[in-house]
Amino acid sequence: EKSGYKHFMAKEIAEQPVVLADAQAHYIKDGNITLPVDLDFSAFDRVTMVACGTAYLACLTAKYWFEQIARIPVEVDIASEFRYREPPVPARTLAIFVSQSGETADTLAALHYAKSQGATILSVVNVTESSMARDSDMSLPILAGVEVSVASTKAFTCQLSLLLLLALKASSDRGAQSTEQVQSYLAHLQKTPALVSQSLNVGDAVKEAAKLVAEAQDILFLGRGAMFPLALEGALKLKELSYIHAEGYASGELKHGPIALIDKHVPVVVMAPRDALFEKTISNMQEVMARGGKVLLISDAAGIAEAGQGVWSTITMPEIEPVFAPILYAIPAQLLAYHTAIAKGTDVDQPRNLAKSVTVE
Ligand code: F6R
């Protein structure tokens, strides 16, 4: 049921404030994290996260959170690489497998490998009656509700929200942050659904930008820190929906090669919440502009006032505590892909060559 929306993708983008709030209500009670599984991060020295596609990008984002908030080392792998590389899995490893469907063949095979090596297996899934949920030691549902659109949207933000909650749990269990600090993070996390709701208002600005983006042959997305995986996600969504060639880069990598691609035909989407790395990202953005690149700057009002002079286009986001920015900045990334697909007339819910659940490798 599309409930009045033109596409499942539009419906699922719009549902995010509600599903995020419901999922958080499920896992946070009276300001405390309540998990339905017996998970104590003090039993682990490291975390390995494995997934495919958008779920992999949620893992890459979560690496920043686990490392910065809980000070626990994290490795992230693409499932198809992990399963055949057969990496050593040290004792006291928590292996987390993230999958909307819970059926992705490579992720499931990677899970079985980690299990055979004695790791403790946690799956983070949307479909609770799935092979991954069944074969794990513990499984946590992201509670996004049924996702029909092939392009993952609400499952991604719900994965992010739950993984951030797990990073906070890890921080408590390991004593990496004070109780007050963890509670303040939790209070901020609970404000994200309302901010996501507010950020859905950028639709019209994104629609305008999408008309121009639809004309491009190549597009770059740039971000630093936890916004780097978001740049990858923006590029993945745009590729799969509009068939335009898009790449995400860590802003600091620009001058190590990709800057050679910049000319006036290449739009560059800069994802720049006002965090500790804002000035660095902006200086990379200026290097792009100096070479004639067309910049689409996504930041909050103050960030755009500070750095928006001379850019091609801007998208103004609500202000947010930087740690939570990846959840919020997923919205313009999704909307840009959606509106570019509409402008190009491609099949939004069922892009060519793609399947919702990849059960063969
Ligand atoms: C992208 C997308 C895919 C999936 C990937 C993993 O929008 O939907 O990249 O994220 O195929 O699927 P799951 O999460 O079911 O393992």
Side-chain angles (χ1 to χ4, degrees), residues 82 86-93 95 110-121:
F82 182 89
E86 302 190 339
V89 179
R92 295 174 57 87
T93 295
L111 183 155
H112 291 151
Y113 169 73
K115 201 171 184 180
S116 76
Q117 300 299 298
T120 301
I121 310 293

Side-chain angles (χ1 to χ4, degrees), residues 157-213:
T157 47
C158 286
Q159 285 161 353
L160 289 180
S161 169
L162 180 53
L163 291 170
L164 180 48
L165 207 64
L166 290 178
L168 293 172
K169 170 86 168 93
S171 165
S172 293
D173 291 349
R174 296 165 59 81
Q177 312 266 347
S178 66
T179 310
E180 296 75 59
Q181 208 137 25
V182 170
Q183 276 173 345
S184 138
Y185 275 120
L186 281 175
H188 275 292
L189 181 62
Q190 289 177 293
K191 288 184 193 149
T192 54
L195 292 170
V196 165
S197 174
Q198 235 179 294
S199 76
L200 290 167
N201 296 334
V202 301
D204 286 341
V206 174
K207 217 187 261 180
E208 274 310 300
K211 284 188 202 149
L212 296 160
V213 166

Side-chain angles (χ1 to χ4, degrees), residues 319-335:
E319 250 181 72
I320 188 161
E321 199 55 37
V323 171
F324 308 91
I327 299 174
L328 200 61
Y329 281 62
I331 308 304
Q334 296 165 354
L335 288 171

Side-chain angles (χ1 to χ4, degrees), residues 41 43-49 59 62-76 90-96 167 170-171 174 176:
F41 279 89
F44 304 106
D45 295 332
R46 56 175 48 79
V47 173
T48 289
M49 306 181 81
C59 295
K63 175 183 169 79
Y64 288 82
W65 290 329
F66 275 104
E67 291 184 348
Q68 288 170 356
I69 301 170
R71 307 301 301 159
I72 187 166
V74 177
E75 280 186 62
V76 183
R92 295 174 57 87
T93 295
L94 175 68
I96 306 180
S171 165
R174 296 165 59 81

